Each structure stands twice: as C-alpha cells, then as structure tokens.
C-alpha cells in the first residue's frame, strides 16, 4: 500500500546544526515508519524549499516542524503551498498542525532536564520554560499556558515562561527574578527544536545570570516522533488544505 508522503517543513537556519537536528528527528520517524516516505523542507536558509520537496509528488501531507502556531504556520506555509499548487494543479496537499501544543512536549522537556541532571518535580527547583518568542501574542500565550499546566502537574517551586526575543521577560531576567524570590535552584528548559543562535544565547545568558542548569533543545526526542506521526495521521484523515487552514 502506498502511503501519502510526509513533508516536514522547518524554519531553516544558517547554523548547520539545525538542519542536522531536523534530519536526525526525521531519521527516527523513518525507523518508526519504514513504509512512509519522509522528506524535509525549509522556509529559509537551507534547501530544499517546499516547492523542491513537492516537485515530483501528486499528493503529500505537509507538516510544520514548528512548536507553536504563529506567523510561519498561519501565513508563510499556506502561502508557499498555494504558490506550489498553482504550478502543480494536480498536487493534493494535506496541511497538518504544528507540533505544539501537545501533552507529550512536557514529557520531552522533562527528558532533557533529567539528562542535564535535574531532579524532576523537585520542590526547591524553579523551571524557566524558554521559547524563541514571537511578535504574535497568541503564540507567546500558548507557551505561558504550557508553563502553567506544567506547574500544576508537578511540585516544582514554579514553572514560568520566558522568551529569547520579541517578548518579555528575557530568560536571564526571569532567572534573576526567581533567584531573588527565593528559589533554591533555577533551571532552564529550552522550548526549542534545534540548536542555533537562540539556544546558544539562552544558555550563555541564563548561566551568566545564575541558572543552575540549562537543558538541551528538544531535538530528536522520541516524544517528537510520536507527535509528528500523530499530526501526519490527523492531516491525512482530516484533509486539511492550504485554502482551508
């Protein structure tokens, strides 16, 4: 049986570690679903672009490899797909949802914290959940909601959100605030898919501000494989198209 190919569209970065991380994640998807053709595409800086990844296909499930629904998923990707569809009118596209929000993302975040030596749920530890940040207030609100839900599921000292750009507070500011407020330890959980400029800056600034630990980015965590395949199934079943997104 031929399955609809999965095209995962990432933001793209000048930092080669980002594309390497995307490919590592998709390699895990391929191992889990060897019957499924899986391709990467990038909106900027890296090839192939979505048009190139879709060029020889007559049907595809396009999934935004993004953690929050913001400008790239709401505007950029649908616009690109409309352009591709105009050039390939026989192409049938199923547009999927972003990776987040999803309950398994907290599991992945805790996996990375544990790998950094953090005791999960420690009442003396404050967690700073750091996203890239967006000019879209709705995307930042999703990160804030995730922090509140996470705080309610574990006896952490607290879980609060911070943003590497475009919104406040900055990670270093939140680390300092929590330390002054009495948290015995402050750790940082990057809500970032891949390493690059933001992850490096978050790590450097947070440690300089006194953070006890900074976890690694989510990368090819097994939870992301599960989420990606779930989004794939939803896209194919629900038949979401760029025009209806």
């Amino acid at each position: 049986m031929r399955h609809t190919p999965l095209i995962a569209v990432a933001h793209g970065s000048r930092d080669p570690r980002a594309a390497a991380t995307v490919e590592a994640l998709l390699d895990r998807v391929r191992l889990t679903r060897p019957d499924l053709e899986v391709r990467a595409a990038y909106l900027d800086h890296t090839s192939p672009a979505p048009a190139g990844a879709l060029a020889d296909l007559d049907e595809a499930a396009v999934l935004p490899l993004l953690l929050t629904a913001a400008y790239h998923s709401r505007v950029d990707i649908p616009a690109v797909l409309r352009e591709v569809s105009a050039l390939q009118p026989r192409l049938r596209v199923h547009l999927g949802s972003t990776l987040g929000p999803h309950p398994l993302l907290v599991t992945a975040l805790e996996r990375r914290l544990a790998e950094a030596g953090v005791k999960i749920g420690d009442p003396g530890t404050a967690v700073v959940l750091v996203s890239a940040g967006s000019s879209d207030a709705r995307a930042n609100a999703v990160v804030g909601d995730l922090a509140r839900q996470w705080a309610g599921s574990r006896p952490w000292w607290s879980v609060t959100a911070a943003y590497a750009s475009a919104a406040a507070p900055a990670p270093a500011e939140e680390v300092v605030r929590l330390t002054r407020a009495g948290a015995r330890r402050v750790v940082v959980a990057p809500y970032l898919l891949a390493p690059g400029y933001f992850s490096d800056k978050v790590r450097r600034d947070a440690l300089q501000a006194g953070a006890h630990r900074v976890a690694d980015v989510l990368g090819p965590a097994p939870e992301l494989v599960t989420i990606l395949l779930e989004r794939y199934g939803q896209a194919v079943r629900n038949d979401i198209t760029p025009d209806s997104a």
Side-chain angles (χ1 to χ4, degrees):
M1 178 181 177
R2 181 181 179 277
H3 296 282
T4 302
L6 187 164
I7 312 299
V9 181
H11 181 276
S13 171
R14 292 185 179 89
D15 191 320
R17 294 175 297 168
T21 300
V22 168
E23 287 300 333
L25 172 60
L26 297 185
D27 280 344
R28 287 198 168 191
V29 174
R30 294 179 185 109
L31 286 172
T32 305
R33 285 288 305 273
D35 59 325
L36 184 61
E37 183 178 1
V38 179
R39 302 180 184 181
Y42 302 89
L43 291 172
D44 204 0
H45 303 304
T46 311
S47 60
L54 292 162
D56 61 340
L57 299 176
D58 55 13
E59 185 174 14
V62 174
L63 304 183
L65 208 57
L66 304 166
L67 292 170
T68 54
Y71 190 85
H72 292 305
S73 62
R74 292 192 177 111
V75 178
D76 285 344
I77 292 177
V80 167
L81 294 180
R82 283 192 291 270
E83 292 175 3
V84 172
S85 296
L87 297 172
Q88 297 174 241
R90 297 177 64 113
L91 175 65
R92 182 174 180 78
V93 174
H94 309 266
L95 179 57
S97 303
T98 56
L99 296 173
H102 193 286
L104 281 178
L105 285 170
V106 169
T107 306
L109 289 162
E110 291 188 345
R111 174 188 296 276
R112 295 303 186 225
L113 284 173
E115 291 169 352
V118 176
K119 181 181 177 182
I120 301 304
D122 174 35
T125 298
V127 179
V128 182
L129 176 67
V130 180
S131 79
S134 173
S135 57
D136 188 330
R138 293 171 296 179
N140 297 329
V142 168
V143 179
D145 288 342
L146 176 60
R148 285 186 287 274
Q149 291 165 14
W150 192 3
S153 69
R154 296 283 193 186
W156 298 107
W157 195 86
S158 68
V159 181
T160 52
Y163 307 92
S165 69
E173 293 171 347
E174 189 64 1
V175 169
V176 170
R177 184 188 73 80
L178 291 164
T179 301
R180 290 175 176 170
R184 290 201 300 271
R185 285 170 297 279
V186 181
V187 300
V188 172
Y191 189 63
L192 301 170
L193 180 64
Y197 171 78
F198 281 139
S199 66
D200 291 347
K201 186 176 189 301
V202 166
R203 176 175 295 277
R204 181 181 65 250
D205 291 354
L207 291 174
Q208 288 177 352
H212 182 68
R213 293 281 191 276
V214 178
D216 201 358
V217 296
L218 292 168
E223 293 81 8
L224 268 65
V225 175
T226 300
I227 296 169
L228 193 56
L229 288 172
E230 181 180 310
R231 299 303 193 213
Y232 169 80
Q234 292 168 345
V236 172
R237 287 193 304 271
N238 295 338
D239 196 24
I240 303 171
T241 66
D243 291 324
S244 63

